[in-house]
Amino acid sequence: MSIAIYPGSFDPVHLGHLDVIRRAAACFDKVWVCVMVNAEKKAPMFTPERRVELLRESVADIENVEVEAFDGLLASYAVSKGANVLVKGVRNATDFDQEYQMAAINRGICPGLETVLLPSSPACQHFSSTMVREMIKYGQPMEKYVPAPVAEELKRKERA
Ligand code: PNS
């Protein structure tokens, strides 16, 4: 059975993430989407628990995908799931440079742990959680950037 991990902050999950999840789900028997802490990113919009809930709602129609949070080393999480593949989405050369380094770090921690890079679909190439937050600030409609459960949550937040 081929098991892959798709890790990220997902704060919030956007349609670019969802595109990678769907494509990874078509390549592997099982995909664990893992909500993790990125030490570089401060002032989160959603708690990890809420991010997991929103992701679960967003991927409810994809049979072989499950979502969890994990606060630790990605390589340890992969071992605990019996996974030997990490999936990452790459939008541009900057992403590629970062992911190339992280792939080496993760393989250094856990030999045999491979990283598969999926190039963004053109429609999602400019999507990022940072961009989504910026669009929220200026009241832009969210439906074209984020899955429906996230758009609804953002509307609820706005009304509160
Ligand atoms: O969505 P992001 O913020 O780009 O995801 C980055 C993430 C969470 C995948 C990365 O920061 C990570 O792997 N964190 C877990 C800690 C870890 O294993 N670090 C070593 C690998 S660089």
Side-chain angles (χ1 to χ4, degrees):
M1 185 175 181
S2 59
I3 305 172
I5 310 290
Y6 178 45
S9 311
F10 306 110
D11 189 33
V13 58
H14 57 67
L15 295 179
H17 294 131
L18 207 57
D19 175 63
V20 172
I21 294 170
R22 286 191 192 284
R23 290 161 61 203
C27 294
F28 301 98
D29 295 322
K30 176 94 190 179
V31 177
W32 289 94
V33 177
C34 184
V35 174
M36 305 201 80
V37 173
N38 181 339
E40 314 266 293
K41 295 184 179 168
K42 311 285 178 206
M45 168 172 271
F46 292 115
T47 63
E49 294 73 25
R50 190 68 190 124
R51 287 179 236 169
V52 167
E53 287 167 357
L54 290 169
L55 265 157
R56 282 186 181 151
E57 288 177 48
S58 305
V59 302
D61 63 318
I62 319 174
E63 222 173 67
N64 56 336
V65 172
E66 287 195 58
V67 185
E68 283 184 341
F70 184 77
D71 185 8
L73 262 187
L74 176 55
S76 309
Y77 180 75
V79 169
S80 77
K81 292 295 175 195
N84 66 342
V85 175
L86 304 174
V87 172
K88 301 287 193 87
V90 285
R91 293 162 297 190
N92 49 42
T94 307
D95 278 357
F96 180 82
D97 284 348
Q98 282 172 359
E99 294 304 342
Y100 190 85
Q101 277 186 11
M102 281 201 268
I105 294 169
N106 285 316
R107 208 168 53 245
I109 298 168
C110 180
L113 182 57
E114 296 294 350
T115 299
V116 169
L117 301 180
L118 292 184
S120 289
S121 295
C124 306
Q125 220 158 16
H126 58 295
F127 284 20
S128 70
S129 296
T130 309
M131 179 210 73
V132 169
R133 288 158 185 246
E134 187 76 359
M135 294 299 110
I136 293 166
K137 220 161 57 183
Y138 294 103
Q140 286 294 300
M142 280 296 111
E143 287 74 9
K144 59 182 175 182
Y145 304 119
V146 297
V150 180
E152 283 154 26
E153 172 87 357
L154 294 170
K155 277 184 204 150
R156 273 195 296 274
K157 260 179 172 258
E158 203 178 81
R159 284 196 294 267

